[in-house]
Amino acid sequence: MLLLLMSAMQSNAQLTANFYDKSCPAALSTIRKTVRTAIAKERRMAASLIRLHFHDCFVHGCDGSVLLDDAPSITSEKNAFQNAGSVRGFEVVDSIKAAVEKACPGVVSCADILAVASRDASEYVNGPKWTVKLGRRDSITASKDLAEADLPIAFNDLDALISSFAKQGLSVRDMVALSGAHTIGQAQCATFRGRIYNDTNIDAGFARTRKRACPVSDGNTNLAPLDLVTPNSFDNNYYKNLIQKKGLLHSDQVLFNGGSTDNIVTSYSKDKATFYSDFASAMVKMGDISPLTGSSGQIRKLCSVVN
């Protein structure tokens, strides 16, 4: 009976900020150092690492499934429509994993690496900071189909976005705050071509500028900054852009288009501190989505393959 109770307690273990204090005290500093080195080399990597954590958590929960490559029993989430050719940063995660494995083999999960790396990335580009809860374990499978069903897309209208986030237990305010991660990073022409050529709620000059590098039928992978003002710094200019009808993606501009989220966008555009606080809270909440803990899953030795 006692063994059964102990097993149940282990499988229902909660995430905690001090999870690695004894088992791998160098874990957080090792992750932080590698993240900062990577972003110093390529500023865009900050956005890529935040996006990796987001795209992990929205599929099966925060379990590192987005990192798995194709295998006989696995169809990689990297092949999903929302990820293929755009989700990136895997080599940075591999570098982090190699470093923490050297410090303490078999202890730190790839899922936790993604969670910590996203926080460290935000902090490095002057964004919000938050305490990351730890103790996630890694999945032994992945789902391309679920990724395509559950990850938002750049063409979503407001109702679809609200529904997508609600399915993960995230509120409308969480959704608007997390969308603010688009204050950094870049998007491919294929994701915003429809907006700059077809949408009417767009600043004409902004559309003209974006069309130069995104022709009607070519240049799908050409990049443009999601925030035209300060593309490499985390701030609240993203929301100011939306008010000026200069959101790059359709799914950005729908947040300020006469709908239920206009007031949140306006608030964040005027008050960076409130945005930062809400973003941090939403990231913690997102990091709590269906983690594997206790004896569930595994601690992968390499993030791209199951043990």
Side-chain angles (χ1 to χ4, degrees), residues 277-289:
S277 176
D278 285 358
F279 182 85
S281 296
M283 287 294 286
V284 172
K285 195 171 171 182
M286 185 180 76
D288 277 341
I289 298 174

Side-chain angles (χ1 to χ4, degrees), residues 84-101:
S86 67
V87 75
R88 59 198 297 274
F90 299 109
E91 71 285 355
V92 176
V93 175
D94 289 343
S95 295
I96 295 170
K97 181 61 173 172
V100 294
E101 282 294 305

Side-chain angles (χ1 to χ4, degrees), residues 66-110:
V66 71
L67 303 172
L68 288 172
D69 287 336
D70 280 329
S73 62
I74 294 173
T75 302
S76 176
E77 292 169 20
K78 297 176 184 180
N79 301 321
F81 169 76
Q82 297 92 323
N83 290 334
S86 67
V87 75
R88 59 198 297 274
F90 299 109
E91 71 285 355
V92 176
V93 175
D94 289 343
S95 295
I96 295 170
K97 181 61 173 172
V100 294
E101 282 294 305
K102 188 174 181 181
C104 34
V107 175
V108 181
S109 69
C110 300

Side-chain angles (χ1 to χ4, degrees), residues 245-265:
K245 299 184 179 180
K246 295 178 180 179
L248 183 63
L249 306 179
H250 179 82
S251 58
D252 289 326
Q253 194 60 55
V254 295
L255 301 181
F256 190 83
N257 192 38
S260 60
T261 54
D262 282 20
N263 61 329
I264 306 175
V265 170

Side-chain angles (χ1 to χ4, degrees), residues 112-281:
D112 272 350
I113 286 172
L114 289 179
V116 176
S118 67
R119 187 272 312 275
D120 292 346
S122 172
E123 181 183 1
Y124 188 81
V125 292
N126 303 315
K129 296 182 283 187
W130 58 94
T131 299
V132 179
K133 292 190 281 184
L134 302 163
R136 299 168 191 81
R137 288 169 63 84
D138 298 321
S139 70
I140 56 172
T141 188
S143 177
K144 171 180 176 284
D145 290 343
L146 196 61
E148 292 188 337
D150 286 357
L151 286 171
I153 58 175
F155 322 114
N156 279 150
D157 287 324
L158 184 58
D159 287 347
L161 289 174
I162 291 172
S163 175
S164 175
F165 280 72
K167 186 176 180 180
Q168 305 298 338
L170 296 168
S171 69
V172 172
R173 194 172 186 89
D174 293 330
M175 183 269 289
V176 179
L178 290 171
S179 296
H182 285 179
T183 182
I184 53 174
Q186 301 184 64
Q188 296 184 10
C189 166
T191 64
F192 61 85
R193 180 183 285 117
R195 164 134 175 84
I196 61 175
Y197 285 98
N198 302 324
D199 284 4
T200 55
N201 59 341
I202 188 168
D203 177 85
F206 173 71
R208 269 196 310 274
T209 300
R210 294 280 76 96
K211 286 175 182 177
R212 290 175 197 154
C214 185
V216 176
S217 59
D218 197 12
N220 280 352
T221 59
N222 292 352
L223 297 172
L226 286 157
D227 173 2
L228 76 161
V229 182
T230 51
N232 292 316
S233 292
F234 203 112
D235 52 35
N236 64 336
N237 278 328
Y238 167 79
Y239 300 104
K240 297 177 183 179
N241 295 337
L242 298 185
I243 291 172
Q244 296 169 19
K245 299 184 179 180
K246 295 178 180 179
L248 183 63
L249 306 179
H250 179 82
S251 58
D252 289 326
Q253 194 60 55
V254 295
L255 301 181
F256 190 83
N257 192 38
S260 60
T261 54
D262 282 20
N263 61 329
I264 306 175
V265 170
T266 300
S267 169
Y268 290 163
S269 74
K270 295 176 179 178
D271 188 348
K272 187 170 82 167
T274 296
F275 163 48
Y276 273 32
S277 176
D278 285 358
F279 182 85
S281 296

Side-chain angles (χ1 to χ4, degrees), residues 34-89:
T34 310
V35 167
R36 293 174 75 86
T37 299
I39 301 172
K41 192 178 297 182
E42 185 199 10
R43 192 81 171 179
R44 182 187 173 200
M45 189 55 66
S48 300
L49 291 172
I50 294 171
R51 186 169 183 246
L52 259 183
H53 181 44
F54 170 65
H55 281 225
D56 181 38
C57 292
F58 264 55
V59 186
H60 278 311
C62 310
D63 61 1
S65 61
V66 71
L67 303 172
L68 288 172
D69 287 336
D70 280 329
S73 62
I74 294 173
T75 302
S76 176
E77 292 169 20
K78 297 176 184 180
N79 301 321
F81 169 76
Q82 297 92 323
N83 290 334
S86 67
V87 75
R88 59 198 297 274

